[in-house]
Amino acid sequence: MLLDSASLYFRAFYGVPDTVRSPEGEPVNAVRGFLDIIARLVGEFGPESLVACWDDDWRPRWRVDLIPSYKAHRVAREVPGGVDVEETPEALVQQVPVIREVLDALGLAIVGAAQHEADDVIGTLASRGDGPVDVVTGDRDLFQLVDDARDVRVIYTARGMSNLEVLTDAVVSGKYGVRPDQYADFAAMRGDTSDGLPGVAGVGEKTAAALLAEYGSLDGIRAAAADDSSPMKPAVRARFAAATDYLDVAPRVVEVVRDLDLPDVDARLRRPTAEQRETLDALAARWGLGGSLDRLLAALPD
């Protein structure tokens, strides 16, 4: 099981009341909510191993160089030569290091990659896995990883933890009219305001899906648009001609990286050792983790 960690701790932060506090009065709603999410996932899906995939760089410079508007509206402060600061509630900023500390004390694997997003870590781990993989996220971009042949599914959290949606090839096709391997091309054409991707003007989901059904891929669509003898309507042809510069780079931005050089980690789920348990007890007392930590510990396999 591969967790899109930021997606989940943002969900936890907004899903658990901010009145949930530590004994010292600090907010711990995201910490406790994140632990409850993992407990729920482990209990329901029973993974043998789990990796908390991390945004070491939530807005990689190489993606921004290709499309400057990429996530630009979410930048709180630019950091020349470093990682830009994302616009995040201060009460959540304070909790992210605590989340990492607790995950580490639990012995759960945390994996990130310099100049890459958690999506790229997930893409790499999902692509090199030799068994069933569940990707947990609220981000539609990761639908491109769904692959029945390799037993890769997405557990989609956008409708809440009580209404999880498990995406297979058939579910993606049923929702969008495209295969998962076409989803990145579909997303590039449709665009995504939440990521600052403009898309192709005048091409929405239905048109994008219809074009992919007819021409197979974005490359096929662009070739048809450039071919005066193709049956493509002039208005559609003009839209793709106007979006040439964007389409030259959009696929690289939208497609997740699948070949990162990541460290080997022991991601097997197991109960904490006595030494780890001492650390966890201290953290539970310091931060008031209460039932949330207990529920996760109970969900871990013997």
Side-chain angles (χ1 to χ4, degrees):
M1 179 171 280
L2 305 174
L3 305 183
D4 182 0
S5 298
S7 169
L8 298 181
Y9 62 63
F10 267 93
R11 171 163 293 279
F13 177 76
Y14 288 109
V16 178
D18 62 6
T19 52
V20 176
R21 300 266 165 169
S22 75
E24 300 297 323
E26 304 110 323
V28 291
N29 55 326
V31 182
R32 293 194 57 163
F34 192 71
L35 295 177
D36 279 328
I37 286 173
I38 298 176
R40 168 74 183 274
L41 292 166
V42 171
E44 183 169 344
F45 296 98
E48 295 179 355
S49 59
L50 181 144
V51 179
C53 301
W54 217 260
D55 276 329
D56 278 10
D57 190 339
W58 68 280
R59 188 176 182 250
R61 174 53 53 186
W62 60 271
R63 281 190 166 108
V64 176
D65 287 344
L66 293 170
I67 299 181
S69 62
Y70 183 65
K71 296 185 178 180
H73 60 294
R74 289 155 55 182
V75 175
R77 179 169 54 85
E78 292 189 1
V79 180
V83 178
D84 291 339
V85 177
E86 185 176 11
E87 191 172 82
T88 306
E90 182 58 32
L92 175 55
V93 172
Q94 298 169 16
Q95 296 182 66
V96 174
V98 182
I99 291 171
R100 285 197 67 132
E101 186 177 15
V102 176
L103 294 181
D104 188 57
L106 282 160
L108 299 181
I110 302 172
V111 178
Q115 300 175 28
H116 287 85
E117 301 172 57
D119 286 12
D120 303 314
V121 175
I122 291 169
T124 297
L125 293 176
S127 298
R128 77 183 192 190
D130 57 2
V133 175
D134 282 341
V135 173
V136 185
T137 185
D139 185 352
R140 294 182 300 174
D141 286 344
L142 290 173
F143 292 177
Q144 63 188 276
L145 298 176
V146 172
D147 186 345
D148 285 3
R150 299 190 63 254
D151 210 356
V152 177
R153 310 183 300 180
V154 165
I155 299 170
Y156 190 47
T157 64
R159 296 190 297 182
M161 293 303 298
S162 61
N163 196 14
L164 296 172
E165 187 175 11
V166 179
L167 279 84
T168 59
D169 286 7
V171 175
V172 174
S173 296
K175 286 173 71 74
Y176 298 105
V178 299
R179 302 186 310 269
D181 64 282
Q182 296 174 311
Y183 190 85
D185 285 350
F186 171 80
M189 286 185 282
R190 175 196 62 201
D192 190 339
T193 55
S194 68
D195 281 342
L197 300 176
V200 178
V203 175
E205 291 191 350
K206 289 185 178 179
T207 300
L211 289 169
L212 285 168
E214 184 169 0
Y215 298 106
S217 67
L218 180 56
D219 286 343
I221 294 167
R222 298 188 70 190
D227 180 0
D228 291 338
S229 66
S230 79
M232 184 177 287
K233 294 179 180 179
V236 176
R237 195 189 304 275
R239 289 174 187 139
F240 279 86
T244 294
D245 291 345
Y246 166 75
L247 291 173
D248 284 346
V249 296
R252 284 191 58 203
V253 174
V254 174
E255 291 171 5
V256 300
V257 178
R258 302 185 188 220
D259 59 356
L260 291 176
D261 183 14
L262 297 176
D264 290 326
V265 295
D266 184 356
R268 290 174 297 169
L269 286 176
R270 57 173 73 86
R271 291 194 179 280
T273 64
E275 183 179 351
Q276 288 172 322
R277 191 54 197 258
E278 285 186 15
T279 302
L280 286 167
D281 288 345
L283 287 171
R286 166 65 182 87
W287 295 105
L289 302 181
S292 298
L293 181 57
D294 292 341
R295 284 186 285 273
L296 176 50
L297 290 170
L300 295 176
D302 293 324

